[in-house]
Amino acid sequence: LKSAEYAINEAKAGKMPSVSYNFSASHASKGTSKDFTNGLEASLPIYTGGKVEGAIASAKLGKTSAQEEVLKTEQATKLAAVQGYFDLLMKEQKRDVANEAVTNYQAHLDNATAQYNVGTVAKIDVLSSGVDLANAKSNAVAASNDVANAEASLNNILGLPLQTKLVLADHKLPFDQYNISLQEALDYAMKYRPEVLQAALGVQQAEEQITIDNAGNKPSVTVNAGQGWNDTSFPGTSNNNGWNVKGIVSFKFFDGGATNAKVAQAKQALLKARETEQKTRETVQLAVKQAYLNIQAAAQSVEATRAAVDQAEESFKIARVRYQAGVGTNTDVLDAQYKLNATKNNHIEALYNYNVGIAQLEQAMGVDVRSGVVHPSLTGK
């Protein structure tokens, strides 16, 4: 962005006067004639055929494009932070599920061992329960490791030391309603997505380039003013001096077709820029629609898995009570515990997909990082 601002200043310099100083010294091959000349000249462009004006306009468009690049970078950074945050929260919840499973397996092993000691169950119940407990402990270790890695990744995104201990404000993945229609999301993206605006700016810059290149087919007008000194002795600044003011009109009648070739290239670049703009709009629309549909699917998955968790918890309670009462099997308890773990993890993953999906949709729409979600129907832009 700073470079683009300097580029504007550089382009504007084309309309400003320039001042130059020249010194020359000569000695004739015959005789002893010497000449020392000093010259001070100022030049002011009056008309450049639109070349300078086009360069200034193009540079200003470049600055606007750079501003959009800043916004795009901010939005990408926000998405990465959101993904990192919810990934850590998801891993923490999965760790809790794994630790809960260890507690449940331990309790069941204790129960099976007690019943085996009094001869009401076979030893295989104790052995199989012990194996599942060992597996659950291994899963819990892996889950804790996943939390540590997710925390380090989020620290890296935030620019914090990797060993920083993070305490998240949330304890569970939220499930907040996100009410926006697909058409509203598409309309918003067409107005505010940086890539769409940059593509439109690219078309305008291509149009300005045609003006710049076509200046070669137009005359240029410059006013020069100078003051000169000359003498036969160094440094040549005696009273032998004079001044001049002149106007120069320059027009190149023939340059071998170079200017026309440049204009033709610029026109082709304009066609390409227009195609790029159309392709960019279509790509953004596709991204928005995919992100929107992913949110809808994730929301349905959250509802379905939430019901499945309730059913799995009830099934586990029944299987454990039946086993304690001697009317259920060890396999029923272990299978119910396995299904409970799976459904809880599926529910957590669905919540993660939903929350990250919202962030992905906002990034696809080009929602401003600072203002947050702005419903298109409420914007005055």
Side-chain angles (χ1 to χ4, degrees), residues 287-300 353-354 357 360:
V288 170
K289 185 171 183 178
Q290 289 176 332
Y292 184 86
L293 293 178
N294 288 340
I295 290 178
Q296 303 304 308
Q300 294 176 15
N353 292 333
Y354 178 77
Q360 291 173 331

Side-chain angles (χ1 to χ4, degrees), residues 146-319:
D146 289 342
V147 170
N149 284 327
E151 185 177 57
S153 296
L154 182 54
N155 280 328
N156 180 259
I157 294 171
L158 299 178
L160 296 173
L162 296 183
Q163 301 304 320
T164 303
K165 181 61 180 177
L166 300 176
V167 179
L168 303 186
D170 296 293
H171 300 291
K172 291 185 178 180
L173 288 159
F175 186 50
D176 301 324
Q177 293 298 317
Y178 193 80
N179 297 319
I180 187 173
S181 71
L182 175 59
Q183 189 58 51
E184 287 172 330
L186 290 170
D187 291 343
Y188 192 99
M190 292 301 98
K191 289 182 179 179
Y192 303 112
R193 177 72 182 263
E195 287 87 341
V196 172
L197 299 178
Q198 285 178 318
L201 291 169
V203 172
Q204 296 179 51
Q205 285 184 306
E207 292 172 341
E208 292 296 342
Q209 190 60 46
I210 294 176
T211 300
I212 294 171
D213 292 337
N214 196 47
N217 289 322
K218 298 178 180 180
S220 63
V221 180
T222 307
V223 173
N224 289 355
Q227 175 72 43
W229 299 265
N230 65 84
D231 198 354
T232 57
S233 60
F234 183 84
T237 56
S238 69
N239 293 329
N240 187 17
N241 60 77
W243 59 269
N244 68 85
V245 176
K246 57 185 176 181
I248 302 173
V249 178
S250 177
F251 181 70
K252 187 178 291 186
F253 288 96
F254 180 70
D255 62 358
T259 297
N260 291 335
K262 286 183 178 181
V263 173
Q265 291 180 64
K267 289 181 179 179
Q268 292 300 313
L270 175 59
L271 293 177
K272 182 179 179 180
R274 287 173 175 166
E275 290 294 332
T276 299
E277 180 188 21
Q278 180 61 28
K279 180 64 176 178
T280 300
R281 295 174 70 88
E282 292 171 354
T283 301
V284 169
Q285 289 174 339
L286 176 61
V288 170
K289 185 171 183 178
Q290 289 176 332
Y292 184 86
L293 293 178
N294 288 340
I295 290 178
Q296 303 304 308
Q300 294 176 15
S301 181
V302 169
E303 296 292 353
T305 55
R306 180 160 55 190
V309 169
D310 293 338
Q311 294 171 354
E313 287 178 338
E314 183 66 21
S315 177
F316 174 70
K317 291 177 182 177
I318 292 173

Side-chain angles (χ1 to χ4, degrees), residues 111-122:
N111 183 32
T113 302
Q115 294 197 53
Y116 169 72
N117 290 335
V118 297
T120 57
V121 299

